[in-house]
Amino acid sequence: MLILQRRKGQSLSINNNIKLTIVDTGADWVKLAIDAPKEIPILRTELVEAAAENQEASRTVSREVLDKILKQR
């Protein structure tokens, strides 16, 4: 892991096609502006983790339970 220090208004570049700019900071938060190509997905880590948990949970649900859920729709 690379750790860099930047101040408000400063930027850093990743792979010549992604630019991160520090927009604002607080005591325990940072606001970032991300300039990247549209085809590069940018997701908050908690959403990626939640999606992985949902996929794992869907693998453990029985076929009978899934059929019941679909019939309720």
Side-chain angles (χ1 to χ4, degrees):
M1 176 187 300
L2 174 63
I3 299 174
L4 300 172
Q5 182 175 326
R6 303 274 71 206
R7 288 183 169 39
K8 185 176 173 180
Q10 293 181 325
S11 301
L12 61 97
S13 295
I14 300 171
N15 200 30
N16 293 324
N17 64 346
I18 300 172
K19 181 179 176 183
L20 299 175
T21 303
I22 307 303
V23 176
D24 202 3
T25 61
D28 60 349
W29 56 272
V30 175
K31 188 181 287 188
L32 298 172
I34 305 169
D35 184 16
K38 289 183 180 182
E39 63 271 7
I40 296 177
I42 300 171
L43 299 170
R44 296 187 328 236
T45 302
E46 60 269 21
L47 295 179
V48 173
E49 291 169 353
E53 287 175 19
N54 287 338
Q55 285 181 345
E56 181 61 32
S58 70
R59 287 188 209 117
T60 61
V61 176
S62 72
R63 181 70 182 171
E64 294 156 0
V65 172
L66 289 175
D67 287 340
K68 267 187 185 178
I69 292 170
L70 290 174
K71 285 179 185 178
Q72 290 175 354
R73 292 182 160 206

